[in-house]
């Protein structure tokens, strides 16, 4: 009987921790999604802007305010470069 109870407790803890992890990831994702939606609202190629803004936001945990400029608010975002040495983040 004891192994059954221990197994049940273990599985419950695993399910609870995975649920909390998914909630944390979703909350982080919604932060980036909302900030990048504002940042890319006036972009000519919104799909590309949202893609790279999302990548930069996840790495840097911040997005500059406004639709252009203000990159000094987030040095990590400002300093990311692509393979050609140009700014990666919109």
């Amino acid at each position: 009987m004891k192994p059954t109870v221990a197994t049940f407790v273990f599985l419950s803890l695993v399910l609870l921790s995975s649920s909390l992890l998914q909630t944390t990831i979703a909350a982080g994702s919604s932060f980036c999604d909302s900030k990048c939606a504002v940042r890319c609202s006036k972009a000519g190629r919104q799909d590309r802007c949202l893609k790279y803004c999302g990548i930069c936001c996840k790495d840097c945990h911040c997005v500059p305010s406004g639709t252009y400029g203000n990159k000094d608010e987030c040095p990590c975002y400002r300093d990311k470069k692509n393979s050609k040495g140009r700014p990666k983040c919109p």
Side-chain angles (χ1 to χ4, degrees), residues 39-76:
R39 183 80 179 167
C40 297
S41 64
K42 294 184 180 179
R45 294 194 171 185
Q46 282 195 350
D47 57 338
R48 185 179 294 177
C49 181
L50 289 169
K51 174 184 175 182
Y52 289 108
C53 180
I55 291 169
C56 295
C57 178
K58 287 175 187 166
D59 290 347
C60 298
H61 307 291
C62 65
V63 175
S65 61
T67 57
Y68 186 80
N70 303 324
K71 289 188 177 182
D72 288 334
E73 295 175 1
C74 185
C76 171

Side-chain angles (χ1 to χ4, degrees), residues 7-8 17-18 21-22 30 33-34 37-38 43-44 51 55 60 64 66-67 69 71 76 86:
T7 303
F8 177 75
S17 65
S18 70
L21 179 62
Q22 288 176 350
S30 67
D33 291 347
S34 64
V38 171
K51 174 184 175 182
I55 291 169
C60 298
T67 57
K71 289 188 177 182
C76 171
R86 301 192 64 199

